[in-house]
Amino acid sequence: MSEGNVVLAQPRGFCAGVRRAIGIVERALDLHGAPVYVRKEIVHNHYIVSELEKRGAVFVDSEEEVPQGAVCVFSAHGVSPGVRSAAAGRQLEVIDATCPLVSKVHQEAVRFARDGRAILLVGHEGHEEVEGVLGEAPDRIVVIETEDDVRRLGLPDDTPVAVLTQTTLSFDETAKVVEALRARFTDLLTPGDDICYASQNRQNAVKDLARDNDLVLIVGSRNSSNSLRMVEVARDHGAAAHLVPDEQHLEAAWLEGVSSVGISAGASAPEILVDGLVARLAELGFDQVELQRGIAEDVVFSMPGRLADPVTGRVPQTPLAGEVTPAPGGVR
Ligand code: SF4
């Protein structure tokens, strides 16, 4: 058996937008009872989705699958105006869990489109967040991902353009793409801080983990953009790194020749999954656990007013605990 230590990243796991989104579904279930329909995964984590399903949430791919007039929560990744009007057409009772930092990017897209600029949206084609922003001005927005995409853009270099980005990208990779855009376009606006605080903080912590440890494990689901970026950041900074949806995906072979393992978790990954991975590593001889020195986050987003208590009128606080409330008998 190997012997070694484990370093837990700080910060890691749930961000303010994820805590709020999960809290919204839980609160909607409390207020309205099951079923509460949720368009797409509320956040990209399979454990969270399955715990909420046990409590009565029904996840659907499209608002068209929600019965007329039913309660429907929009996920943290946001939706296009087309989805909003389709939901209105079905008289759905919409509760919007879009992260306020994603909503900010939507507002920027609307503003730049109104100003007559072409909008270059740096992000991953097909990702829900990108689809939502794209829907704000489909004729004006072009999605790009790499420096090669910048070279291939069929726009004159003096076109007035604005750059927006998906909130969960790699900070360093995106900076390269923006630099290539700056070098090419003469009238370019870059609001510049679309990559959210949570993505930046987790990436910075992962850089330190990668420097100080032989192996970095990122807890997160395979469709979680910010978790995937954290794996890339760790690799770019010299560590072997893997995405680990839960402890069952840990491969003992990864630990050969390794004396220290850094662990972090994507913004949608609950701490219970980190606990499971730490316990599994302890069984394999990695039983010295320490906490990375890092920054503490205190960002909290308020809950939508429509979730107010019907009697007292009080709007509940966003949960701070960083966990989904387990369904009765539903703790793994
Ligand atoms: S990762 Fe950032 S943008 Fe996404 S929900 Fe969290 S705070 Fe909001």
Side-chain angles (χ1 to χ4, degrees), residues 104 108 111-112 162-165 182 188-194:
K104 182 180 129 236
E108 289 168 342
R111 177 164 60 92
F112 289 132
V163 185
L164 298 177
T165 74
R182 272 206 192 97
L188 178 102
L189 288 182
T190 52
D193 56 355
D194 295 334

Side-chain angles (χ1 to χ4, degrees), residues 119-180:
I119 299 166
L120 306 175
L121 174 59
V122 188
H124 301 291
E125 191 106 44
H127 187 279
E128 285 149 38
E129 183 184 324
V130 168
E131 294 292 301
V133 176
L134 193 54
E136 295 289 355
D139 300 338
R140 294 218 153 258
I141 300 179
V142 181
V143 181
I144 56 172
E145 200 172 327
T146 63
E147 292 162 271
D148 276 348
D149 293 341
V150 175
R151 280 187 278 279
R152 282 196 287 264
L153 275 169
L155 292 172
D157 294 354
D158 60 354
T159 308
V161 294
V163 185
L164 298 177
T165 74
Q166 197 178 331
T167 54
T168 49
L169 298 182
S170 151
F171 193 72
D172 296 338
E173 291 304 311
T174 305
K176 289 182 202 160
V177 176
V178 172
E179 216 29 68

Side-chain angles (χ1 to χ4, degrees), residues 196-235:
C196 76
Y197 82 94
S199 299
Q200 293 192 35
N201 288 347
R202 279 152 193 68
Q203 287 172 28
N204 287 338
V206 162
K207 287 178 192 174
D208 290 342
L209 274 191
R211 192 191 57 221
D212 299 339
N213 298 278
D214 309 315
L215 172 69
V216 172
L217 301 176
I218 305 295
V219 179
S221 288
R222 296 195 197 285
N223 58 343
S224 163
S225 170
N226 82 91
S227 305
L228 292 167
R229 301 295 82 74
M230 288 162 73
V231 173
E232 290 168 5
V233 166
R235 288 179 182 156

